[in-house]
Amino acid sequence: MVTQAPEIDWAAPWWAPVRTTGEEALARWAAGAPVAEALNAARSAPVRFVPQHALPEGLPYELFIFKQRAVPSRDNLHDFLNGLIWSRYPRTKLRLNELQAAEITRDGVRSTRGPVRDAVTLFDESGVLLAAPQALQDALRERRWPDLFGSLRPLWKEANLWVIGHAALEKLVSPYKSITAHVLAGPAHLETLEQADAWLAEWLSAGRMALKPFAPLPLLGVPGWWAHNEEAGFYDDASVFRGKTLISRPG
């Protein structure tokens, strides 16, 4: 299905890592270029982008990418954002694809994904890397929301957050309170996108991902990310800021 290029508020903080590439590619898409062409022209990536029909019938998407170093891309927002992540986090995306391909090569495509493929897919779609003081990491892992966004709020000035999941970014095009990402904890010293990409690519492994080492984070609760979270009672919504006894699902 072909969709029109959307309007994106590039000034929102979650777009900062991909803004330069994204603005250029979106302009080309809006001018009539297919998404694959717009992505290829905007910035070099470790892969090239090809139309969706380039994917042979019966060949798994992830295996095609691994073998051809080419990403089949539809003319829609989801695949456009996936392309931006490939351009800005090349090492991480290559590593995620490598893990997927290894699982498929060993086990084939089953009716349900195994634990590694499931976790890799989850992170690829809705993953976030958080480099922050240990106190913030602990509060997030334990879902101590009053501490995380209350008493510890000043520490967010020392934190860096990178949204790597393209499905999470897709939701953030039209923000709503319950958008929830799956966070991996990174070392506090990470400051730049390049450092984050390099560290994450090195850290990712089948064994680590099989454990699903994620913590849920309602993204628009992050201080400075949404004006509404300054309002009284914002964090009192238990349907969004859930305790550990409840199952967390993507927003």
Side-chain angles (χ1 to χ4, degrees):
M1 178 179 178
V2 177
T3 58
Q4 293 183 334
E7 293 186 6
I8 293 178
D9 177 12
W10 295 108
W14 48 83
W15 296 115
V18 299
R19 179 173 182 172
T20 301
T21 303
E23 286 183 313
E24 181 182 349
L26 185 65
R28 290 179 182 274
W29 182 17
V35 161
E37 181 181 316
L39 291 168
N40 285 329
R43 193 182 187 103
S44 61
V47 293
R48 58 193 173 90
F49 302 96
V50 297
Q52 180 66 25
H53 61 72
L55 177 64
E57 185 175 354
L59 182 63
Y61 169 83
E62 295 89 350
L63 207 55
F64 177 83
I65 295 173
F66 182 76
K67 291 181 175 180
Q68 301 296 326
R69 286 293 186 266
V71 179
S73 301
R74 300 162 296 183
D75 292 324
N76 63 27
L77 178 60
H78 188 82
D79 288 9
F80 173 78
L81 294 174
N82 182 46
L84 294 188
I85 299 300
W86 269 105
S87 294
R88 302 300 288 133
Y89 301 90
R91 296 181 181 181
T92 295
K93 290 290 280 188
L94 283 172
R95 181 58 177 150
L96 291 170
N97 178 246
E98 183 180 60
L99 292 172
Q100 290 272 24
E103 294 294 306
I104 293 171
T105 299
R106 188 187 67 223
D107 298 331
V109 177
R110 299 179 290 182
S111 56
T112 58
R113 296 187 182 101
V116 175
R117 287 198 65 210
D118 186 52
V120 170
T121 300
L122 191 65
F123 188 74
D124 190 47
E125 294 284 344
S126 64
V128 168
L129 177 63
L130 174 63
Q134 192 61 47
L136 284 183
Q137 300 281 19
D138 292 344
L140 174 60
R141 185 181 65 254
E142 297 163 11
R143 305 188 201 182
R144 290 188 279 112
W145 309 117
D147 293 337
L148 184 67
F149 297 122
S151 60
L152 298 176
R153 196 175 186 88
L155 288 181
W156 281 97
K157 295 179 181 178
E158 302 174 31
N160 287 290
L161 193 69
W162 295 275
V163 180
I164 296 168
H166 53 284
L169 283 176
E170 184 176 13
K171 294 172 184 176
L172 287 165
V173 170
S174 300
Y176 56 93
K177 185 176 183 178
S178 62
I179 298 173
T180 300
H182 293 80
V183 177
L184 279 176
H189 65 77
L190 298 178
E191 295 183 352
T192 69
L193 181 152
E194 291 75 18
Q195 289 172 345
D197 187 35
W199 179 86
L200 188 53
E202 181 70 23
W203 183 90
L204 288 166
S205 70
R208 285 171 171 156
M209 292 301 278
L211 298 175
K212 287 189 178 178
F214 310 126
L217 175 64
L219 288 173
L220 295 177
V222 174
W225 274 37
W226 211 34
H228 294 296
N229 70 36
E230 298 284 350
E231 299 169 0
F234 180 87
Y235 298 105
D236 296 337
D237 187 348
S239 68
V240 175
F241 300 96
R242 304 172 181 176
K244 289 197 73 171
T245 57
L246 298 180
I247 298 173
S248 176
R249 302 181 187 279

